[in-house]
Amino acid sequence: MRKEFRRWKSRVMVALLVVATVLAVAPLVLILGTLIVKGAGSIDLGFFTRLPVPAGESGGGVAHAIVGTLLIVGAGCLIGLPIGIGAGIFAAEWPGSIVAKTTRFIADVLNGTPSIVVGVFAWTWIVARQKHFSGLAGSAALAVIMIPMVMRTTEEMVKLVPHSLREAALALGYSRWRTSLGIVVRTCLPGIVTGSLLAVARVAGETAPLLFTALGSQYMSRDLQQPMAALPLVVFTYASGPYDDWHRLAWATALVLIIVVFVLSLAARIATRRRFDAPR
Amino acid sequence: MTERIANSEQRTTGAIDVADFSFSYGPRQILNNVSFSMPSKAVTAIIGPSGCGKSTFLRSINRLNDLIPETKHAGDILVDGRSVYTRGIDLVALRLGVGMVFQRANPFPKTIYENVAYGPTLNRLVAPRDLPATVERCLKQAALWDEVKDRLDTPATGLSGGQQQRLCIARALANDPKVLLMDEPCSALDPIATQRVEELIVQLKASYTIVIVTHNMQQAARVSDVTGFFDRGELIEFGPTEQIFTAPSKERTEAYITGRFG
């Protein structure tokens, strides 16, 4: 009798967990499904190679936004990744220092800061001073979002390296920084790469910080000092515009954006699968 | 045995001198006024119950305890007559002269060759063209060469536990140290691997001063020339191994050795 009840209770619990899992995955499937249904039809070669056409005409592509996103995110990585990774290594290797504690706290606060706030910040410090919008200001805003994320994941990865490895290197006469960079960081490099890729994937889809900084553009621009188009901005502009053709392009652009994020996350997964063998 | 100690004392005061050395982690006193001299080119065994401070003592010699925050020390340790705790001492130089083998084998996640070659390469101890010969010599010294000579470029983590430990010994020897510290080097090994490492220790003492911390009293008796018995952070007794194991002068030493505590 009691056994029966337990078995029954166990089934109910498992069923509840399955329901929760389905509910968690459902939005993702719905989003992907909608995007494919509404966007896939508009994706052809011209979509990737052509520039927008004047409103009212059909056709045209988002080549300018693809180039813009690559440039803005690329420059953002150049600024954000070295700082984030460096700070992460420092915080993990000197965990007790006041600098590390302060930085960790600030990074946690920044991680929880809405990205639009970062956008306003970049507008105040860069756009308002230079008196014009620019792709570079967008890169700076994205870098500010990336730094705390990259720092914290790097720190966690470095902390996972067995302490015995660090001691082995020090006992062999390695100096402190050589131990950190030559042994510890090399050992957890796949993890750091993963963290960085996930951060890139996250900022590639950011819209709010770019509204105040890169602004968006209808033309092909390769100059980071000028306003620049980006995929999320195209989605924002086209989706809120009045023309059917714009809506069509917005769906297709959103699909491309999701595919980019998906590919980056997948790459991150593959990078972590090759974990180092911890010494026995 | 006693004779040899007497001889070595005539030659030199001993490679490592410990003078009133105390050590504490925060409020916890780990070592209390330890003083003794370890002879050069001989094996010194450090025995004692768990938590008596023997590992802390060993790691004080190459200052590996520096990594731990909030430690304090008093007194001094001299290696070859030079203080290890002088201000501004070059820790890299100290650790090049004082190699260490740990309780658990900890090879770098690199190839077998790289593990041995890394120390000499980094510290520019040998010319690049002599490096293969150095690696071979060290692996032979560690009695590992025959087992790995055909797969030097495979990951060190693929070796068995005993082989990994001998690789770590080879890696330490590649720096050509004067002193070799061993922190329970056989505690994770099976009896056959243990025997090989012990044979190795006996061979190595011709060229190196060896300090070995061990929980295994038979091992201390088998490989060491002199033995120090630690208990609760104090050096209770120190003398020729034979004497410590057959006629200890302190009651606590006898109680520990005969297995009445610890």
Side-chain angles (χ1 to χ4, degrees):
Chain A
M1 179 63 192
R2 198 156 165 75
K3 216 168 159 187
E4 281 287 294
F5 175 67
R6 277 195 187 167
R7 195 171 294 159
W8 182 81
K9 202 161 78 176
S10 161
R11 279 197 195 123
V12 171
M13 287 303 169
V14 171
L16 283 175
L17 291 179
V18 169
V19 169
T21 311
V22 170
L23 284 178
V25 179
L28 186 71
V29 175
L30 280 175
I31 290 174
L32 258 180
T34 317
L35 283 179
I36 290 171
V37 170
K38 299 224 179 190
S42 315
I43 294 183
D44 50 24
L45 192 64
F47 178 80
F48 292 104
T49 55
R50 295 184 58 192
L51 290 175
V53 289
E57 282 180 39
S58 70
V62 293
H64 66 313
I66 293 173
V67 170
T69 283
L70 286 179
L71 285 176
I72 293 172
V73 173
C77 288
L78 287 182
I79 306 168
L81 290 183
I83 299 176
I85 292 173
I89 294 169
F90 179 83
E93 292 279 314
W94 281 269
S97 66
I98 291 176
V99 182
K101 283 180 184 162
T102 318
T103 319
R104 197 177 296 128
F105 177 72
I106 294 172
D108 283 344
V109 173
L110 262 179
N111 257 337
T113 306
S115 55
I116 195 159
V117 176
V118 176
V120 175
F121 165 83
W123 185 87
T124 315
W125 283 92
I126 303 173
V127 177
R129 292 187 172 209
Q130 290 194 323
K131 308 233 190 299
H132 64 84
F133 293 97
S134 71
L136 201 59
S139 301
L142 295 187
V144 171
I145 298 171
M146 285 172 86
I147 288 170
M149 292 174 66
V150 174
M151 177 193 157
R152 292 297 265 154
T153 48
T154 302
E155 188 186 348
E156 293 307 319
M157 288 302 148
V158 171
K159 277 203 280 193
L160 280 182
V161 176
H163 197 65
S164 61
L165 223 52
R166 205 168 274 138
E167 289 188 334
L170 287 170
L172 273 181
Y174 282 47
S175 55
R176 194 74 192 269
W177 70 270
R178 257 193 202 281
T179 302
S180 294
L181 295 184
I183 298 294
V184 177
V185 171
R186 268 182 72 163
T187 305
C188 63
L189 204 56
I192 295 178
V193 170
T194 306
S196 304
L197 283 176
L198 289 177
V200 173
R202 152 93 199 274
V203 298
E206 281 292 347
T207 320
L210 296 184
L211 283 175
F212 298 103
T213 50
L215 188 65
S217 156
Q218 289 293 308
Y219 310 103
M220 177 65 85
S221 162
R222 294 188 186 84
D223 182 2
L224 276 169
Q225 285 296 336
Q226 295 304 317
M228 210 177 244
L231 290 171
L233 291 175
V234 168
V235 176
F236 179 76
T237 319
Y238 283 7
S240 49
Y243 310 102
D244 274 349
D245 215 43
W246 278 20
H247 295 164
R248 209 174 44 75
L249 276 177
W251 282 113
T253 311
L255 180 60
V256 168
L257 197 54
I258 278 233
I259 289 171
V260 168
V261 172
F262 177 74
V263 167
L264 280 174
S265 307
L266 204 67
R269 274 288 173 93
I270 291 167
T272 23
R273 207 164 13 159
R274 271 189 51 246
R275 282 254 169 83
F276 69 94
D277 298 317
R280 273 167 288 174
Chain B
M1 193 78 73
T2 329
E3 219 171 61
R4 188 159 66 216
I5 310 304
N7 282 340
S8 69
E9 271 172 356
Q10 271 168 13
R11 253 199 343 262
T12 155
T13 54
I16 306 171
D17 291 294
V18 186
D20 269 337
F21 190 74
S22 301
F23 192 90
S24 55
Y25 296 134
R28 271 177 61 220
Q29 184 85 16
I30 307 292
L31 293 169
N32 216 339
N33 284 324
V34 174
S35 290
F36 66 116
S37 291
M38 286 169 263
S40 71
K41 304 206 171 165
V43 178
T44 304
I46 309 281
I47 59 170
S50 297
C52 70
K54 13 183 228 307
S55 283
T56 302
F57 171 71
L58 200 68
R59 298 157 61 94
S60 298
I61 301 175
N62 65 350
R63 288 191 53 179
L64 215 52
N65 285 330
D66 284 19
L67 283 183
I68 305 158
E70 289 175 39
T71 58
K72 268 215 302 275
H73 72 92
D76 206 353
I77 296 176
L78 303 144
V79 174
D80 266 338
R82 274 195 294 267
S83 166
V84 166
Y85 283 91
T86 324
R87 277 175 72 91
I89 185 185
D90 182 358
L91 283 179
V92 169
L94 168 71
R95 289 169 184 158
L96 279 178
V98 183
M100 187 160 190
V101 177
F102 296 83
Q103 187 171 357
R104 292 166 63 114
N106 50 3
F108 300 132
K110 299 172 187 290
T111 67
I112 295 170
Y113 182 90
E114 284 172 323
N115 261 278
V116 183
Y118 233 67
T121 312
L122 182 74
N123 300 301
R124 300 205 176 83
L125 298 177
V126 294
R129 67 192 148 83
D130 297 333
L131 205 53
T134 306
V135 171
E136 182 176 339
R137 176 179 58 79
C138 296
L139 284 170
K140 276 181 175 159
Q141 262 185 304
L144 189 61
W145 175 252
D146 289 334
E147 291 158 59
V148 301
K149 64 182 174 203
D150 299 322
R151 47 173 177 149
L152 289 174
D153 54 351
T154 59
T157 40
L159 296 172
S160 75
Q163 288 173 326
Q164 287 190 14
Q165 191 62 300
R166 276 178 284 147
L167 178 67
C168 291
I169 295 174
R171 182 176 68 182
L173 296 179
N175 270 345
D176 202 21
K178 292 193 203 69
V179 179
L180 198 57
L181 309 175
M182 305 181 111
D183 190 357
E184 297 187 45
C186 302
S187 68
L189 303 185
D190 66 39
I192 294 165
T194 302
Q195 195 193 342
R196 302 207 60 165
V197 172
E198 283 184 10
E199 285 165 8
L200 185 61
I201 293 171
V202 174
Q203 277 171 32
L204 290 175
K205 78 172 175 189
S207 340
Y208 304 92
T209 297
I210 297 177
V211 185
I212 176 171
V213 162
T214 177
H215 263 294
N216 180 333
M217 273 173 293
Q218 285 76 32
Q219 182 171 66
R222 280 193 299 264
V223 302
S224 71
D225 303 303
V226 290
T227 298
F229 171 60
F230 277 61
D231 189 20
R232 282 171 245 165
E234 282 173 38
L235 178 71
I236 305 297
E237 193 168 350
F238 176 73
T241 300
E242 221 170 54
Q243 185 195 319
I244 298 276
F245 279 91
T246 54
S249 59
K250 300 274 171 37
E251 207 179 317
R252 242 149 96 196
T253 317
E254 195 183 342
Y256 180 70
I257 283 165
T258 53
R260 264 185 280 141
F261 90 102

